[in-house]
Amino acid sequence: MNKIRISPTIEGTITNIAEYFISIASEQINQKDIFSVALSGGSTPKSLYEFLAQDSSADDLPWDKIHFFWGDERAVPPDHPDSNFLQASSTLLEPRLIPAENIHRIMGELDPKTAAALYQEEILAWFKDTPPRFDLVLLGMGTDGHTASLFPGSQALQDSQQNQWVTANQIPQLSSWRITFTAKLINTAEQVVFLVTGQPKAETLFKVLEGPNLPNKYPSQLINPHNGSLIWILDQAAASMLTLV
Ligand code: 6PG
């Protein structure tokens, strides 16, 4: 059963997910002195990153114990305005003085298949060849039901069947390539959180959460951590069509 938290406003949603981030990061660091998180791209999480960078409630987090990865990246260099790395780096990692060795960037400047293969190697090595299991994977959802860079009808939806953790995905809808976690990798995480806000996503969110299981059409439906928790953090506008909450 999905856990769903709804806030009246976007601002309330950001505070909600920031408290959740601080809470689980603190808990994991207390337990094992490290915390691994895969960040999302897109516009929604920008406010979360800015909040975590600036709000005093996050000052006491042992930021040097947090390792940052990305659940997906555009096939662009790290200084490109579309880069998910650039967004997180400028809004959170630089302000919180995250050590370079804690930043695990997808090399979007390379050929996408090479970048995906190298990132998969880096992740497997970082987890010391145990099955990779992120403490937290942060996701958004597009109005077409995609998450990370798992887009409707794209090849990466099939790659989850094989032993692939990271893949290059050609996105005809965008006439571009992306590098993305497969659903298989996301579903090994301890905690997965979707951050979804705004009225434009309400109908898709209803179809994803309460409609028939059509993961090729709504890839967000692929996300179901096998041995972990899934929580949806929404504002009232995005949740406005849900009937089961
Ligand atoms: C990306 C994201 C993507 C994003 C959704 C929602 O690289 O764009 O990883 O999956 O989360 O497209 O984006 P918005 O938050 O901009 O609506």
Side-chain angles (χ1 to χ4, degrees):
M1 181 64 185
N2 294 323
K3 283 188 278 186
I4 296 176
R5 283 189 198 166
I6 302 172
S7 300
T9 62
I10 289 183
E11 293 73 20
T13 306
I14 296 301
T15 305
N16 193 333
I17 193 169
E19 288 169 355
Y20 176 78
F21 180 97
I22 293 165
S23 161
I24 59 175
S26 305
E27 180 187 323
Q28 291 290 334
I29 292 167
N30 288 341
Q31 283 178 17
K32 55 185 187 174
D33 206 34
I34 200 166
F35 179 66
S36 59
V37 55
L39 299 178
S40 169
S43 57
T44 307
K46 187 168 183 278
S47 306
L48 167 63
Y49 303 154
E50 289 167 341
F51 183 99
L52 288 172
Q54 296 154 15
D55 197 85
S56 59
S57 63
D59 286 350
D60 294 338
L61 259 185
W63 287 97
D64 62 332
K65 307 279 191 193
I66 302 179
H67 282 254
F68 291 88
F69 297 76
W70 279 261
D72 71 323
E73 185 56 280
R74 290 81 182 279
V76 296
D79 59 355
H80 190 284
D82 289 349
S83 165
N84 291 337
F85 160 80
L86 181 63
Q87 171 171 267
S89 181
S90 57
T91 53
L92 176 59
L93 308 187
E94 287 173 11
R96 283 294 183 189
L97 306 175
I98 304 301
E101 62 270 21
N102 290 31
I103 299 171
H104 307 271
R105 178 178 72 84
I106 298 173
M107 290 186 275
E109 67 274 24
L110 301 180
D111 159 73
K113 291 181 180 174
T114 303
L118 289 173
Y119 205 52
Q120 176 162 304
E121 279 176 29
E122 177 172 0
I123 287 172
L124 292 176
W126 196 81
F127 283 98
K128 298 181 176 57
D129 295 324
T130 58
R133 180 171 165 80
F134 284 92
D135 293 318
L136 172 64
V137 174
L138 175 59
L139 296 174
M141 187 195 76
T143 52
D144 61 355
H146 83 263
T147 189
S149 284
L150 301 170
F151 282 79
S154 64
Q155 173 57 37
L157 305 187
Q158 317 314 323
D159 292 343
S160 292
Q161 319 311 323
Q162 281 89 44
N163 198 28
Q164 272 195 279
W165 304 100
V166 181
T167 192
N169 200 21
Q170 187 170 18
I171 318 296
Q173 303 93 312
L174 302 177
S175 306
S176 69
W177 283 83
R178 297 280 188 95
I179 299 99
T180 185
F181 279 14
T182 59
K184 176 184 173 77
L185 178 52
I186 297 169
N187 286 331
T188 65
E190 179 148 355
Q191 315 241 12
V192 179
V193 59
F194 272 97
L195 173 61
V196 184
T197 62
Q199 182 64 38
K201 299 190 178 170
E203 183 177 358
T204 303
L205 191 62
F206 170 74
K207 289 175 181 171
V208 166
L209 291 179
E210 299 185 13
N213 188 38
L214 298 169
N216 196 52
K217 189 172 181 186
Y218 300 108
S220 293
Q221 290 184 331
L222 289 169
I223 308 310
N224 181 26
H226 311 311
N227 183 22
S229 71
L230 171 59
I231 182 170
W232 293 77
I233 296 184
L234 314 171
D235 70 347
Q236 187 51 51
S240 57
M241 291 180 66
L242 299 181
T243 64
L244 303 176
V245 292

